[in-house]
């Protein structure tokens, strides 16, 4: 059998551990198998590229960040559009056949699984594995890469807290997460943040300014986490593209700098901001992610061995299981503003910027 592997979308810690585990499971359990690494995510498949992955290229990469295959973002909306008579989807299907694949493992986030569903609908044997620091993939309790990002963000916030306290400042820390606030929520609880602004709970500018003023007066400093996708309640009425337009006019992609200025003007206190950015995606996976990635990779290879395709591996409680890719494609797992973790955070005094 010939197995293809690609990593698609934004990278995260644990991708190499998954590749390794798929490889090790196959070499232990399936005779005469060949593994083809497809470079650059769906980009490589569109171009028909692939190379044989030998055991010595994947056996020792459990602790390596990034992806040995490389990755890219390929817009879903372009997949079915014809360019010179052929769509990218058709190219991928043809190249799957040209490469002689019997199965393709797609390691990626929500967008990756949406495209995987297109490939499955064309009759290709695809198995998805859920990756992202955002933890927003529908149908799985957790994604690999998330826990490492939580650890990194928590350590950064811990460090930021001490300097914020020394100077008696207000600090805004921007955390990744465009659609979902999971990373902000978990790292904020772990690091003891005062306030968290997440995409699922639009915030009142006036209320956050008042909160920051009061908190810095009472406690001497204030830590506010701002998820990349956090939005003002006044912006919530706009469609995403209009919001992007308004922010572009202001020369900003996120709300953090605007909020920084507003808080500084209102409180007359020293206010600073730190954007954690790609630090959260890079580097060595934590032990939890190494174990999770290994379990998911081995499980996906087992599914392939059993001939179960058109699925995405998932975590449910302590078990690894799978969902039909058609059931999860196009859906997101977002933070429920009324759910237990937000309720808990509020019960210990964390503020979410509501009126
Ligand atoms: O999906 C993971 C993620 O890191 C998001 O949190 C972030 O919004 C996005 O990727 C950034 O993507 P890019 O690598 O394209 O800048």
């Amino acid at each position: 059998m010939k197995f293809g592997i690609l990593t698609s979308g934004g990278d995260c810690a644990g991708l190499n551990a998954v590749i390794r585990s798929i490889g090790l499971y196959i070499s232990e359990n399936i005779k005469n198998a060949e593994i083809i690494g497809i470079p650059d995510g769906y980009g490589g498949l569109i171009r028909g590229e692939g190379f044989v992955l030998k055991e010595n290229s994947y056996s020792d990469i459990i602790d390596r960040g990034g992806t040995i295959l490389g990755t890219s973002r390929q817009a879903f909306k372009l997949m079915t559009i014809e360019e010179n008579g052929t769509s990218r989807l058709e190219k991928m299907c043809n190249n799957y056949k040209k490469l002689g694949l019997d199965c393709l493992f797609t390691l990626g986030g929500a967008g990756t699984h949406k495209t995987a569903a297109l490939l499955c609908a064309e009759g290709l044997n695809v198995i998805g594995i859920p990756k992202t620091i955002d933890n927003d993939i529908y149908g799985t309790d957790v994604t690999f890469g998330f826990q490492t990002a939580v650890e990194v963000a928590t350590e950064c916030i811990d460090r930021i807290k001490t300097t914020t306290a020394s100077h008696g400042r207000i600090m805004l820390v921007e955390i990744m997460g465009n659609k979902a606030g999971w990373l902000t929520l978990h790292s904020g609880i772990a690091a003891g943040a005062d306030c968290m602004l997440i995409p699922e709970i639009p915030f009142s500018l006036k209320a956050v300014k008042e909160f920051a003023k009061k908190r810095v007066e009472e406690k001497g400093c204030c830590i506010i986490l701002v998820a990349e996708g956090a939005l003002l309640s006044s912006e919530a009425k706009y469609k995403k593209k209009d919001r992007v337009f308004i922010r572009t006019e202001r020369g900003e992609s996120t709300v953090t700098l605007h909020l920084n200025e507003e808080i500084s003007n209102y409180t007359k206190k020293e206010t600073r901001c730190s954007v954690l950015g790609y630090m959260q995606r890079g580097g060595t996976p934590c032990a939890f992610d190494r174990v999770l990635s290994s379990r998911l990779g081995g499980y996906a290879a087992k599914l392939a061995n059993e001939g179960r395709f058109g699925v995405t591996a998932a975590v449910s409680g302590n078990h690894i299981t799978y969902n039909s890719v058609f059931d999860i494609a196009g859906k997101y797992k977002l933070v429920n503003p009324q759910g237990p973790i937000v309720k808990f955070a509020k019960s210990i005094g964390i503020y979410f910027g509501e009126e």
Side-chain angles (χ1 to χ4, degrees):
M1 277 180 92
K2 223 174 182 185
F3 299 90
I5 310 182
L6 62 79
T7 55
S8 163
D11 74 342
C12 71
L15 284 163
N16 287 326
V18 175
I19 296 168
R20 170 181 177 268
S21 186
I22 291 173
L24 293 181
Y25 181 95
I26 290 174
S27 80
E28 286 288 319
N29 298 284
I30 307 173
K31 288 201 174 68
N32 301 321
E34 195 169 38
I35 305 175
I36 305 296
I38 295 166
D40 197 27
Y42 287 122
L45 191 59
I46 292 167
R47 297 189 298 272
E49 295 167 7
F51 57 93
V52 176
L53 269 180
K54 296 267 186 234
E55 191 160 340
N56 62 5
S57 61
Y58 61 73
S59 60
D60 195 23
I61 56 172
I62 192 164
D63 57 345
R64 207 186 300 171
T67 160
I68 59 165
L69 298 176
T71 185
S72 64
R73 291 190 189 279
Q74 301 289 333
F76 176 79
K77 58 176 185 248
L78 299 182
M79 289 297 174
T80 46
I81 293 175
E82 283 198 5
E83 297 153 338
N84 302 324
T86 326
S87 70
R88 294 178 185 196
L89 176 61
E90 282 170 321
K91 285 182 189 162
M92 289 195 286
C93 292
N94 293 340
N95 289 330
Y96 174 97
K97 283 168 201 145
K98 274 190 200 151
L99 289 166
L101 301 181
D102 298 296
C103 165
L104 175 66
F105 297 103
T106 54
L107 283 55
T112 302
H113 302 310
K114 229 168 138 184
T115 297
L118 286 181
L119 296 173
C120 292
E122 294 298 314
L124 268 50
N125 295 333
V126 181
I127 297 176
I129 306 172
K131 156 243 75 167
T132 168
I133 67 164
D134 295 346
N135 195 31
D136 60 355
I137 298 184
Y138 187 82
T140 185
D141 291 353
V142 66
T143 55
F144 70 87
F146 174 64
Q147 194 57 39
T148 303
V150 171
E151 303 285 343
V152 172
T154 303
E155 190 190 335
C156 292
I157 303 162
D158 285 347
R159 287 173 185 275
I160 287 168
K161 269 175 78 178
T162 62
T163 168
T164 306
S166 304
H167 288 264
R169 287 172 170 160
I170 297 167
M171 182 68 78
L172 274 68
V173 186
E174 187 179 295
I175 309 279
M176 271 189 168
N178 230 320
K179 295 193 174 60
W182 294 110
L183 184 52
T184 302
L185 199 51
H186 281 242
S187 55
I189 291 172
D194 298 300
C195 170
M196 303 184 205
L197 306 174
I198 62 173
E200 296 88 341
I201 307 179
F203 67 92
S204 150
L205 183 58
K206 181 171 170 282
V208 172
K209 289 194 294 193
E210 284 166 1
F211 172 85
K213 187 163 192 285
K214 194 155 171 268
R215 183 54 62 106
V216 76
E217 281 165 5
E218 280 168 7
K219 235 185 76 176
C221 64
C222 177
I223 301 281
I224 302 175
L225 304 191
V226 188
E228 245 185 326
L231 68 160
L232 297 158
S233 41
S234 57
E235 293 176 309
K237 59 177 181 286
Y238 296 113
K239 289 205 173 99
K240 191 177 169 203
K241 73 171 181 2
D242 299 326
R243 221 158 48 223
V244 170
F245 179 78
I246 295 168
R247 288 193 184 173
T248 311
E249 291 276 283
R250 267 200 322 244
E252 295 159 6
S253 58
T254 68
V255 79
T256 315
L257 286 177
H258 176 61
L259 184 59
N260 189 52
E261 199 184 327
E262 288 281 338
I263 292 179
S264 167
N265 291 340
Y266 181 78
T267 61
K268 307 280 182 261
K269 296 281 178 194
E270 285 189 343
T271 308
R272 299 282 190 272
C273 62
S274 298
V275 178
L276 301 192
Y278 295 89
M279 262 190 288
Q280 299 157 102
R281 289 225 311 240
T284 306
C286 66
F288 178 92
D289 272 334
R290 295 184 202 191
V291 174
L292 178 60
S293 300
S294 301
R295 288 181 73 193
L296 285 167
Y299 180 81
K302 183 169 173 283
L303 289 177
N305 199 18
E306 292 165 358
R308 193 173 293 281
F309 304 114
V311 294
T312 298
V315 179
S316 173
N318 283 326
H319 301 285
I320 309 287
T321 175
Y322 64 85
N323 295 303
S324 155
V325 71
F326 299 110
D327 290 344
I328 65 149
K331 298 182 187 165
Y332 286 91
K333 180 188 72 182
L334 300 179
V335 175
N336 175 357
Q338 275 80 45
I341 187 144
V342 174
K343 269 195 185 142
F344 156 72
K346 286 183 177 173
S347 78
I348 58 166
I350 297 172
Y351 181 57
F352 286 82
E354 293 149 299
E355 288 279 4

